[in-house]
């Protein structure tokens, strides 16, 4: 179980810090909010919208996008089955402990109750270093039907604040 979780964390970290995604998708959605486009498909079980000028990416089990080649800011949504019934807070405590083992200078800045697609969740804001590089993160998570859905926003300190409105908009339009 620990090996599987560690492998998942490393795959997740790779996804978070990737600047260029190689796979893409183009989903037209007439219900997309103004200025946004769909960044998911029917397979994943949720609708995730991103700003129109972001570049889409999709890989097995995760959907995501990045801002541009000059701005490494990226977002992703992943979902997986939980091994047992737990709350978002219990999931986070387990997940946070694993992050503390991978990142240096890991620091939670804020925790805020939110809803994702009508499901109660929590938004965690934190900073961490991976090697010599510092990143700012927002992770919003909810649990639905035994699965945890995790939205992750990753940015550099100089780009972080310029994307907060977009992040709020993405979370506001997330739907099941």
């Amino acid at each position: 179980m620990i090996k599987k979780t560690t492998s998942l964390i490393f795959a997740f970290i790779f996804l978070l810090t990737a600047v260029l995604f190689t796979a893409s998708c183009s989903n037209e959605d007439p219900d997309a909010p103004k200025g946004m486009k769909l960044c998911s498909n029917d397979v994943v079980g949720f609708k995730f919208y991103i700003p129109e000028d972001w570049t889409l990416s999709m890989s097995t089990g995760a959907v995501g996008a990045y801002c541009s080649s000059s701005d490494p800011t990226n977002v992703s949504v992943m979902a997986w089955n939980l091994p047992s019934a737990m709350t978002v807070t219990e999931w986070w405590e387990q997940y946070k402990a694993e992050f503390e083992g991978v990142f240096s200078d890991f620091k939670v800045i804020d925790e805020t109750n939110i809803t994702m697609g009508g499901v109660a969740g929590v938004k965690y804001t934190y900073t961490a270093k991976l090697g010599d590089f510092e990143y700012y993160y927002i992770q919003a998570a909810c649990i639905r039907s035994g699965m945890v859905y995790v939205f992750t926003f990753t940015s550099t300190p100089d780009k972080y604040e310029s994307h907060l409105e977009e992040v709020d908009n993405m979370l506001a339009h997330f739907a099941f």
Side-chain angles (χ1 to χ4, degrees):
M1 177 67 177
I2 291 180
K3 270 183 143 180
K4 184 178 179 182
T5 303
T6 302
S7 295
L8 186 62
I9 292 295
F10 280 91
F12 185 65
I13 291 168
F14 176 77
L15 178 66
L16 293 177
T17 58
V19 176
L20 298 175
F21 295 97
T22 57
S24 66
C25 59
S26 61
N27 296 325
E28 296 296 321
D29 184 351
D31 299 324
K34 183 177 169 105
M36 299 181 89
K37 63 185 173 186
L38 187 63
C39 183
S40 58
N41 61 29
D42 295 336
V43 175
V44 295
F46 55 83
K47 286 195 173 190
F48 174 49
Y49 297 97
I50 60 169
E52 283 180 330
D53 58 342
W54 285 44
T55 301
L56 300 165
S57 172
M58 184 175 289
S59 61
T60 305
V63 294
Y66 62 94
C67 186
S68 70
S69 60
S70 63
D71 181 350
T73 298
N74 63 80
V75 293
S76 67
V77 177
M78 295 178 67
W80 61 90
N81 286 318
L82 294 170
S84 62
M86 61 176 56
T87 65
V88 172
T89 301
E90 292 167 333
W91 166 82
W92 173 252
E93 287 304 315
Q94 178 181 338
Y95 203 54
K96 183 176 84 168
E98 293 176 15
F99 274 167
E100 290 170 335
V102 173
F103 293 111
S104 62
D105 297 332
F106 180 84
K107 181 181 176 189
V108 176
I109 298 169
D110 188 49
E111 293 183 22
T112 305
N113 291 327
I114 62 164
T115 58
M116 290 177 63
V119 177
V122 181
K123 180 173 79 171
Y124 302 93
T125 304
Y126 60 95
T127 61
K129 284 187 177 179
L130 190 57
D132 293 333
F133 299 99
E134 181 179 18
Y135 295 98
Y136 281 53
Y137 298 90
I138 292 174
Q139 282 195 305
C142 69
I143 295 174
R144 180 176 182 252
S145 302
M147 292 186 70
V148 62
Y149 293 83
V150 181
F151 164 91
T152 303
F153 163 72
T154 306
S155 191
T156 55
D158 61 320
K159 302 288 185 182
Y160 173 78
E161 287 192 28
S162 68
H163 294 291
L164 291 179
E165 187 175 322
E166 292 169 317
V167 168
D168 288 342
N169 202 24
M170 288 182 237
L171 286 169
H173 291 98
F174 182 89
F176 290 104

